[in-house]
């Protein structure tokens, strides 16, 4: 294996023992399932992205099965893309197994959105070509949404598109970012402004690995599923009420249920709109303000705690609901359901502490939905709801041009509540956990 | 207009006189048509790239009509991509006219393949975002294949794809590169290894501008049309015999005829194969060795004159015909037709002077067709013919795995003939013109 980072080398796989990796994983003290002898076989799902049928394999503590699925692709080379966190160890382990059949390169970048940029992408392109990838090679993303997006763009651009496999290891990657053909990196101007459409060939999820994430990461990930329920399929709300808990101490089985909810909504939308330009824009609910909160909180010297993507989307939905309510479109009961689910999912209002309205409004001005429809610079195109699951703006990409002053008022209100929140809720949730 | 280069500013357009630009162009001393009062209206053609119908507008001395076609796109901003040559003046002129309706940015790079890379692309992405492009903006490529490809990738990546217009000003761009969804830049490893598919919205060709190219550029451009006739539609050979002449002093009308031949072949292939992965691979005839000749001759310190793309393809076809003949697949008469057309188009064998077989074989090893099919590293996947218009390798992407020693023998022969050629043919053609 060729490694481009300082990750620990993988434990040597024992070719005589096909369960070695799986038992390693089961023996992990973080494994919420405890030891068991024979993991159930992988569950197979499919969804369509345009003319591409994407295969999805789901399992628990099944890294050896994941590796087997990779070797079944008849690739001449594998390029693993991951980041310099514990996820890199998973990638390293997989690379160690698959390179019994084909050479494997491990590309790793420092964690964080700041590295999801053209510089990282260019470096990975050069290293992949140094490694002599061909059209028969496969790029494997292992980790969260960030390496997944970089890997997607890498696979999409090499030889104008080679095969891409996602092995998501976080809730948000599994439930949201990998169920899409959209790939992108950020620029200094805004998130995801540079990208392309490149559907994965295969997605393999080991929920045993996903359940090892921090509560905060798992909480952030479930926010996208909450968003799908609020904006697209409110029929999922009762199931979410049963599953969600602010502490976000989800088991692998909980996470698989949450994944199935997301897959159900996204696969329905992607079937008719593989590029997410029409009904797929609904998936961007909460994202206009959400992206701005993410960028504003992550800016050097912001004085704020960096807000995670899903958390930002949850708070962005609160703003979107407030805006729609102020415009007279959304009833108080629907706003209350937003509040309730944001409470249940455990995203604390105090996350916005340290942010100011001007900075957030500045970032909203660079949102990548600009230009879907003609609008004046004083309007912000947003996905808004008229009721739960009932978006406004049909026939205009589901984007409603909202006067900036209405957005500003709702952002003001969000930040006011953030300042008033003491973070010490009696349920003792771990907002920064 | 915002300019990112040292191009001369455009002559101010007179808004009261819609023919001002056109008359400027007609008054040009290089205009092969001489002055005339009313240029004929634009001819409209269409071709299909997957689900996209591409509009093609053809005219002579019609820059004002080109500008009008651009303003008709209802763009909120225009980004012109060109290079620091006389083509930049055309871009500058167009930008000056269209910015009466929308802000225009002029991005220009130094001429040459060496600048068709990720660094130029990244810079143009940043400058476009600084200029606040949106999904409603339009990227306009003005020039040869190089700015066309950079612009294509720029348009393909911004917001995962915004509209692209090609205004080709060279024969090779008009007749070959713009009739495609393929966009790419080079890396240190090989040509066009990083790219994507992004069909143009519109192609506008002013053959009056194209006819102002140097004889050598026009000769290089017609080689792709010769390739189409040899590999795909030998029915075009009689027309080519009538049109081609080694001096390459083509009129605008000649060039329009040559363009129509190319469009006929390419539109037929693209209809069934918009990504040029199956029958479209036939368009790569002559390119495996051609790309290697281009790269080898352009390498610093090669001691050779840089070979132009079309010239390289012509010589690459000579090698492909020789290889197919050595393998017993292609008859001597078909080889002779290759020789005859390469002679008629005016590509001189002496262009390979200074190249050595090892260097050429090295570059062949990095050809971007690697990996279409499994093959050993001692095989070179090449498009070969069994007869004129009859490719070998149906069912395997039309690629025949050729033993490296057979390729080496044919490259040896090519370079031997190059060394023996004195370049002083009695027809006095201008091989380096």
């Amino acid at each position: 294996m060729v490694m481009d980072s300082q990750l620990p080398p993988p434990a040597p796989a024992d070719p005589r023992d096909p369960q070695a990796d799986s038992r390693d994983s089961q023996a992990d003290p973080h494994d919420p399932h405890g030891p068991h002898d024979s993991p159930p076989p992988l569950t197979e799902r499919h969804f369509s992205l345009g003319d591409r049928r994407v295969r999805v394999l789901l399992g628990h503590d099944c890294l050896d099965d994941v590796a087997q699925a990779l070797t079944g692709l008849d690739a001449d080379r594998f390029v693993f893309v991951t980041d310099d966190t514990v996820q890199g160890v998973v990638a390293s382990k997989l690379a160690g197994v698959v390179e019994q059949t084909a050479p494997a390169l491990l590309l790793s970048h420092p964690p964080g959105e700041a590295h999801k940029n053209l510089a990282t992408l260019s470096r990975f392109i050069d290293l992949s070509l140094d490694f002599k990838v061909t059209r028969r090679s496969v790029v494997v993303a292992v980790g969260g949404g960030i390496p997944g997006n970089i890997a997607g763009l890498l696979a999409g651009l090499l030889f104008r598109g080679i095969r891409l496999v996602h092995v998501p290891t976080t809730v948000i990657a599994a439930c949201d970012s990998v169920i899409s053909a959209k790939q992108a990196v950020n620029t200094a101007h805004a998130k995801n402004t540079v990208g392309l459409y490149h559907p994965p060939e295969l997605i393999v999820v080991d929920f045993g690995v996903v359940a090892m994430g921090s509560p905060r990461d798992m909480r952030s990930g479930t926010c996208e599923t909450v968003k799908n329920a609020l904006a697209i399929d409110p029929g999922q709300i009762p199931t979410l009420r049963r599953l969600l808990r602010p502490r976000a101490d989800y088991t692998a089985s909980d996470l698989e249920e949450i994944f199935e909810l997301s897959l159900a909504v996204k696969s329905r939308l992607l079937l008719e709109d593989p590029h997410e330009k029409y009904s797929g824009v609904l998936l961007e609910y909460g994202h206009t303000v959400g992206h701005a909160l993410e960028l504003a909180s992550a800016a050097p010297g912001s004085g704020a705690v960096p807000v995670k993507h899903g958390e930002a989307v949850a708070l962005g939905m609160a703003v979107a609901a407030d805006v729609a309510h102020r415009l007279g479109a959304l009833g108080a009961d629907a706003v209350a359901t937003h509040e309730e689910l944001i409470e249940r999912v455990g995203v604390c209002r105090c996350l916005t502490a340290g942010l100011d309205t001007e900075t957030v409004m500045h970032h909203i001005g660079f949102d990548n939905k600009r230009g879907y429809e003609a609008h004046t610079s004083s309007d912000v195109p947003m996905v808004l709801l008229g009721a739960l699951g009932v978006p406004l703006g049909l026939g205009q990409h589901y984007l409603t041009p909202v006067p900036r002053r209405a957005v500003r008022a709702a952002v003001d209100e969000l930040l006011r509540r953030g300042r008033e929140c003491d973070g010490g809720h009696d349920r003792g949730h771990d907002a920064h956990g």
Side-chain angles (χ1 to χ4, degrees), chain A:
Chain A
M1 178 183 3
V2 181
M3 298 188 31
D4 177 55
S5 66
Q6 299 307 312
L7 292 173
D14 184 346
R16 292 162 306 182
D17 180 356
Q19 298 299 327
D21 270 1
S22 177
R23 274 200 272 105
D24 278 0
S25 175
Q26 286 163 33
D28 192 290
H30 293 99
D31 182 356
H33 309 290
H36 51 266
D37 285 331
S38 55
L42 299 182
T43 308
E44 186 156 350
R45 296 274 179 271
H46 290 91
F47 66 98
S48 290
L49 270 169
D51 56 1
R52 179 75 65 88
R53 190 159 182 257
V54 182
R55 196 157 62 110
V56 182
L57 298 174
L58 309 175
H60 294 205
D61 308 318
C62 57
L63 278 190
D64 54 338
D65 298 312
V66 175
Q68 208 171 355
L70 294 177
T71 56
L73 293 171
D74 188 31
D76 64 351
R77 268 151 219 277
F78 288 96
V79 176
F80 287 83
V81 176
T82 189
D83 62 15
D84 305 340
T85 64
V86 66
Q87 313 308 346
V89 179
V90 177
S92 186
K93 212 169 205 173
L94 288 173
V97 179
V98 301
E99 79 170 347
Q100 290 165 25
T101 61
L105 170 69
L106 189 58
L107 298 174
S108 186
H109 59 83
E113 283 281 343
H115 297 276
K116 193 179 107 172
N117 59 24
L118 283 170
T120 304
L121 177 68
S122 294
R123 193 163 63 84
F124 284 6
I125 287 172
D126 283 335
L127 290 167
S128 300
L129 291 168
D130 285 343
F131 188 62
K132 296 190 189 302
V133 291
T134 77
R135 294 178 196 275
R136 280 187 58 228
S137 305
V138 168
V139 174
V140 185
V142 181
I146 296 171
N149 252 207
I150 297 172
L153 206 43
L154 176 69
L157 286 172
L158 285 170
F159 304 99
R160 299 194 187 88
I162 63 175
R163 287 174 292 172
L164 168 69
V165 176
H166 282 300
V167 183
T169 60
T170 67
V171 178
I172 201 159
C175 295
D176 190 57
S177 47
V178 306
I179 311 172
S180 176
K182 286 165 78 173
Q183 316 295 349
V185 295
N186 307 327
T187 63
H189 299 81
K191 278 193 68 170
N192 297 333
T193 33
V194 174
L196 47 69
Y197 298 93
H198 188 60
E201 175 89 4
L202 171 69
I203 297 169
V204 199
V205 193
D206 181 336
F207 289 101
V209 171
V210 177
M212 289 162 66
S214 74
R216 189 176 174 197
D217 281 334
M218 292 205 274
R219 179 182 303 120
S220 172
T222 50
C223 290
E224 295 277 5
T225 310
V226 170
K227 174 210 68 188
N228 295 341
L230 288 170
I232 302 161
D233 187 357
Q236 295 189 340
I237 291 175
T239 310
L240 282 174
R241 284 196 174 111
R242 170 171 59 78
L243 285 167
L244 295 179
R245 40 187 186 272
R247 298 190 72 92
D249 50 350
Y250 299 111
T251 65
S253 300
D254 293 336
L255 296 175
E256 186 165 358
E257 254 189 288
I258 290 168
F259 172 86
E260 295 274 16
L261 292 175
S262 275
L263 183 64
V265 169
K266 291 198 77 168
S267 61
R268 210 168 64 218
L269 259 63
L270 292 170
L271 189 64
E272 60 183 35
D273 182 21
H275 283 190
E276 302 173 40
K277 285 191 169 176
Y278 303 98
S279 55
V281 171
L282 297 177
L283 297 168
E284 294 284 299
Y285 185 54
H287 280 59
T288 299
V289 173
H291 277 161
L293 293 173
E294 252 185 296
L295 283 170
S297 67
S302 78
V305 178
V307 180
K308 289 194 171 283
H309 179 71
E311 295 168 341
V313 168
L315 297 171
M317 290 193 290
V319 172
D322 187 8
V323 165
H325 185 60
R326 282 164 197 262
L327 297 178
L330 189 67
D333 50 343
V335 176
T337 306
H338 279 70
E339 296 282 331
E340 178 212 338
L341 289 183
I342 293 169
E343 186 95 351
R344 280 183 189 270
V345 82
V347 171
C348 183
R349 299 290 187 155
C350 63
L351 283 170
T352 62
L355 293 178
D356 65 276
T357 306
E358 277 320 306
T359 311
V360 175
M361 291 305 294
H362 167 78
H363 285 287
I364 286 173
F366 278 107
D367 184 60
N368 72 1
K369 283 181 284 300
R370 283 181 307 145
Y372 260 126
E373 298 287 332
H375 63 275
T376 68
S377 63
S378 63
D379 287 343
V380 178
M382 289 178 75
V383 178
L384 293 184
L385 303 182
L388 296 180
V390 181
L392 304 176
L394 178 67
Q396 48 181 353
H397 289 280
Y398 294 106
L399 290 173
T400 303
V402 180
R404 277 180 75 85
R405 63 174 186 287
V407 182
R408 178 186 297 272
V411 169
D412 265 340
E413 172 65 11
L414 178 81
L415 301 188
R416 189 191 62 73
R417 287 185 59 179
R419 281 189 299 274
E420 288 180 359
C421 172
D422 61 5
H425 303 250
D426 57 4
R427 52 190 157 73
H429 78 270
D430 174 26
H432 304 288

